[in-house]
């Protein structure tokens, strides 16, 4: 009887261990999905994807549209109409597109040749983009960043890559797992922490997010960290509940360290195009977003949404995701972006 009980107990331990390992493997696998960790550098897509390569789908789609502007025997009116279609197709946005085309029409430029059109478009697009896209710096540590966005936008991936970026700069980074409502979110951020080599402050699933971030900020202060990056919930039962929760989080963070968060980054998925604008509007006023991170630009022909977000929302795009590598979260620079977006299939701005 004793021997049977011992065997049963041993079986329970073995099954429990196998189950725990299986769950961890699932979590690590989930961390490689679009909203979590990418493959390590050297596996999959190589790090350091160029702007031109990352925007190849957008530039190819826009090039095809611009080529239609100069179909044989088309009038100026028809050319401007074709230009509208090309820009809207690249998700530059209806309002922004109409403003651009009206500006070109008023000045009488852009219809002489495809090269002239690209140059005129370059000027119009750059005039609608923020010049200062650098992340905020803070002389007195820690710098506290709040990262917000809906589930599936690439928020967890962005936090991990951002932590890697700061660590590469020689800074001490700590993460705070404030997304306590989504199943597996805490574990995914912890996997990121292990990969990057930074600590993660976490409570149990379902805990008060504001309390987690309060503890994370205080831990950052007591441990002499340079940067604290705070995760947040991306979805609750109702949009109003999510916004109320985020408003509370911001107030509690200010109590942990007056004046923080110093930077509020809104993560948007570029592949959803104009829907990103509605998300930006929902988050902007509640959390006081200071900048936007546009992810997955390499996987869409809708790169024009970068222009629409800045033109219509008045928020600078500070970072863009161009690939799965650790170093493919890039600082946004308007001129190289526009040049890549307007590049001829041969890789030049001119045809």
């Amino acid at each position: 009887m004793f021997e049977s009980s011992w065997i049963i107990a041993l079986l329970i331990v073995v099954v429990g261990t196998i189950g725990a390992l299986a769950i961890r493997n699932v979590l690590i696998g989930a961390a490689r999905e679009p909203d979590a960790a990418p493959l390590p550098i050297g596996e999959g897509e190589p790090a350091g994807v160029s702007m031109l390569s990352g925007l190849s789908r957008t530039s190819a789609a826009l090039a095809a549209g611009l080529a239609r502007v100069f179909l044989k025997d088309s009038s100026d009116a028809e050319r401007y109409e074709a230009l509208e279609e090309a820009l809207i197709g690249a998700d530059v946005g209806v309002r922004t597109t109409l403003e651009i085309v009206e500006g070109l029409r008023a000045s009488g430029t852009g219809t002489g040749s495809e090269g002239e059109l690209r140059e005129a478009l370059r000027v119009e697009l750059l005039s609608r983009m923020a010049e200062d896209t650098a992340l905020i710096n803070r002389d007195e540590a820690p710098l506290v960043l709040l990262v917000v966005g809906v589930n599936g936008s690439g928020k967890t991936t962005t936090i991990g890559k951002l932590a890697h970026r700061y660590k590469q700069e020689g800074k001490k980074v700590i993460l705070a797992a404030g997304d306590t409502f989504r199943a597996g979110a805490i574990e995914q951020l912890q996997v990121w922490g292990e990969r990057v080599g930074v600590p993660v402050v976490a409570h149990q699933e379902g805990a008060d997010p504001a309390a987690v971030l309060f503890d994370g900020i205080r831990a950052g202060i007591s441990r002499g960290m340079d940067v604290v990056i705070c995760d947040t919930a991306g979805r609750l039962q109702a949009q109003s509940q999510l916004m109320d929760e985020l408003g509370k989080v911001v107030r509690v963070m200010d109590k942990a360290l007056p004046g923080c968060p110093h930077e509020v980054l809104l993560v948007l998925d570029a592949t959803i195009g104009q829907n990103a604008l509605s998300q930006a509007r929902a988050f902007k006023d509640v959390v006081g977003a200071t900048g936007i991170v546009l992810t997955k630009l390499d996987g869409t022909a809708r790169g024009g949404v970068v222009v629409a977000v800045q033109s219509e929302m008045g928020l600078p795009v500070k970072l863009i995701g161009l690939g799965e590598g650790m170093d493919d979260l890039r600082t946004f620079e308007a001129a190289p972006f526009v040049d890549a977006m307007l590049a001829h299939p041969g890789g030049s701005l001119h045809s």
Side-chain angles (χ1 to χ4, degrees), residues 227-250:
V227 182
V228 181
I229 306 177
C230 301
D231 192 10
T232 55
R235 182 174 294 125
L236 291 179
Q237 290 182 339
Q239 185 76 358
S240 59
Q241 288 179 312
L242 174 59
M243 295 305 156
D244 289 344
E245 183 62 46
L246 291 175
K248 172 188 172 184
V249 161
V250 171

Side-chain angles (χ1 to χ4, degrees), residues 62 66 70 83 100 104 107 109-127 335 338-339 341-344 348-351:
L62 189 55
L66 294 181
F70 293 96
L83 177 58
I100 290 173
L104 294 176
S107 63
T109 59
T111 59
S113 67
E114 189 172 341
E116 177 190 326
L117 175 59
R118 288 175 186 275
E119 289 290 354
L121 274 179
R122 185 178 190 276
V123 173
E124 289 286 342
L125 292 171
L126 285 175
S127 70
V338 171
D339 287 345
M341 181 177 168
L342 292 176
H344 191 266
S348 169
L349 186 64
H350 304 279
S351 58

Side-chain angles (χ1 to χ4, degrees), residues 148 195 203 234:
V148 301
R195 288 176 176 235
H203 292 188

Side-chain angles (χ1 to χ4, degrees), residues 67-80 82 111:
R68 287 193 292 272
V69 174
F70 293 96
L71 292 176
K72 186 177 180 180
D73 297 330
S74 57
S75 65
D76 282 356
E78 291 171 328
R79 287 178 176 179
Y80 284 126
T111 59

Side-chain angles (χ1 to χ4, degrees), residues 9-308:
L10 180 60
L11 287 172
I12 291 173
V13 171
V14 171
V15 171
T17 301
I18 293 173
L21 289 172
I23 291 172
R24 178 163 180 76
N25 286 336
V26 168
L27 290 171
I28 291 175
R32 288 177 180 150
E33 292 303 312
D35 195 33
L39 295 171
I41 295 175
E43 297 180 31
E45 186 174 357
V49 174
S50 70
M51 188 77 75
L52 188 62
S53 173
L55 289 174
S56 60
R57 295 190 184 187
T58 295
S59 61
L62 189 55
L66 294 181
R68 287 193 292 272
V69 174
F70 293 96
L71 292 176
K72 186 177 180 180
D73 297 330
S74 57
S75 65
D76 282 356
E78 291 171 328
R79 287 178 176 179
Y80 284 126
E81 184 177 347
L83 177 58
E84 285 183 8
E85 293 176 358
L87 292 175
I88 291 173
D91 257 327
V92 170
V94 174
R95 193 179 87 183
T96 304
T97 292
L98 293 178
E99 290 175 357
I100 290 173
V101 174
E102 186 55 38
L104 294 176
R105 195 194 306 267
S107 63
T109 59
T111 59
S113 67
E114 189 172 341
E116 177 190 326
L117 175 59
R118 288 175 186 275
E119 289 290 354
L121 274 179
R122 185 178 190 276
V123 173
E124 289 286 342
L125 292 171
L126 285 175
S127 70
R128 288 165 170 77
M129 296 199 181
E131 294 182 6
D132 184 10
T133 59
L135 291 172
I136 290 174
N137 284 317
R138 176 176 159 85
D139 294 332
E140 184 180 354
L143 169 68
V144 179
L145 296 92
L146 180 65
V147 183
V148 301
V150 301
N151 293 346
S153 63
K155 180 164 58 72
T156 309
T157 298
T158 296
I159 291 172
K161 290 183 178 181
L162 199 52
H164 169 73
R165 179 189 178 111
Y166 278 120
K167 192 175 179 187
Q168 291 294 100
E169 295 175 1
K171 295 180 179 179
K172 294 181 289 184
V173 183
I174 189 169
L175 308 181
D179 188 355
T180 61
F181 300 118
R182 180 169 62 89
I186 296 171
E187 290 82 0
Q188 286 182 4
L189 197 65
Q190 288 172 330
V191 168
W192 256 114
E194 291 175 8
R195 288 176 176 235
V196 178
V198 300
V200 179
V201 173
H203 292 188
Q204 71 276 15
E205 189 174 313
D208 180 4
V212 178
L213 300 193
F214 183 94
D215 289 349
I217 294 168
R218 298 308 298 177
I221 295 171
S222 64
R223 300 183 195 180
M225 294 292 175
D226 298 307
V227 182
V228 181
I229 306 177
C230 301
D231 192 10
T232 55
R235 182 174 294 125
L236 291 179
Q237 290 182 339
Q239 185 76 358
S240 59
Q241 288 179 312
L242 174 59
M243 295 305 156
D244 289 344
E245 183 62 46
L246 291 175
K248 172 188 172 184
V249 161
V250 171
R251 293 191 296 271
V252 171
M253 291 176 72
D254 183 66
K255 293 179 181 178
L257 178 62
C260 82
H262 307 113
E263 181 91 85
V264 181
L265 296 175
L266 170 58
V267 181
L268 298 174
D269 179 354
T271 65
I272 66 173
Q274 290 299 298
N275 288 331
L277 286 176
S278 61
Q279 290 182 14
R281 292 187 183 97
F283 281 94
K284 181 181 177 182
D285 294 333
V286 174
V287 295
T290 56
I292 287 174
V293 182
L294 267 171
T295 64
K296 312 175 191 177
L297 271 171
D298 58 311
T300 181
R302 299 175 173 183
V305 71
V306 171
V307 183

